[in-house]
Amino acid sequence: MWNVTSKVKETDKKIYKYGSDEVRSNLNLIRNIPDTGIKVSWVLDNYEVLNLQGKVQNDDLPKEGRIVELRATLSYEEIKEMYFLYARILPPKQTD
C-alpha cells in the first residue's frame, strides 16, 4: 500500500540534506517532492537568520553561527507527517 512514510523514505535525501553542521549559502526549501504528490511546508524558529525562501542572512552572525530549527510538514491528501531538522548557519567565509 502506498503511503506518505514509504514515499518519504524513498526521497528522504531531498529533505534531510538540510540537516547540516555548516550552512553558509542559501538553501532550496522545496515545496513539493516531484512525482509523489507530497507537498512540503516549512516553519523556522529564526526568520532573522533564514527565511522561507531559503535565503541565509548571515553577515552579522558570530563566528560560531546560530542553530536554526526547520520544521518540514509533508502532506499527501489528508495525511501529514512532521520532520524536525537543524542547520548551523555560519557567517560567510573570510577571504584573505
Side-chain angles (χ1 to χ4, degrees):
M1 180 177 176
W2 190 96
N3 62 47
V4 172
T5 302
S6 66
K7 281 299 180 185
V8 169
K9 286 178 183 176
E10 290 174 25
T11 58
D12 66 352
K13 290 182 182 178
K14 294 178 182 178
I15 297 296
Y16 286 112
K17 69 180 178 181
Y18 298 114
S20 177
D21 290 335
E22 184 173 314
V23 174
R24 295 181 190 270
S25 59
N26 296 339
L27 297 175
N28 178 16
L29 299 181
I30 60 174
R31 301 285 182 216
N32 61 64
I33 299 175
D35 304 319
T36 66
I38 298 173
K39 295 179 182 176
V40 183
S41 61
W42 297 93
V43 174
L44 313 175
D45 74 342
N46 189 334
Y47 292 97
E48 292 178 10
V49 176
L50 179 67
N51 69 27
L52 288 174
Q53 288 71 45
K55 183 168 173 39
V56 172
Q57 319 278 338
N58 60 350
D59 289 331
D60 296 326
L61 290 180
K63 68 179 181 176
E64 66 274 7
R66 294 257 166 77
I67 301 291
V68 175
E69 178 186 271
L70 298 89
R71 184 173 67 209
T73 301
L74 283 64
S75 305
Y76 178 78
E77 295 177 355
E78 300 299 318
I79 302 168
K80 292 186 180 190
E81 292 192 18
M82 192 176 304
Y83 294 84
F84 292 87
L85 309 149
Y86 299 88
R88 179 180 301 277
I89 310 297
L90 296 171
K93 285 193 176 188
Q94 300 296 320
T95 56
D96 294 327

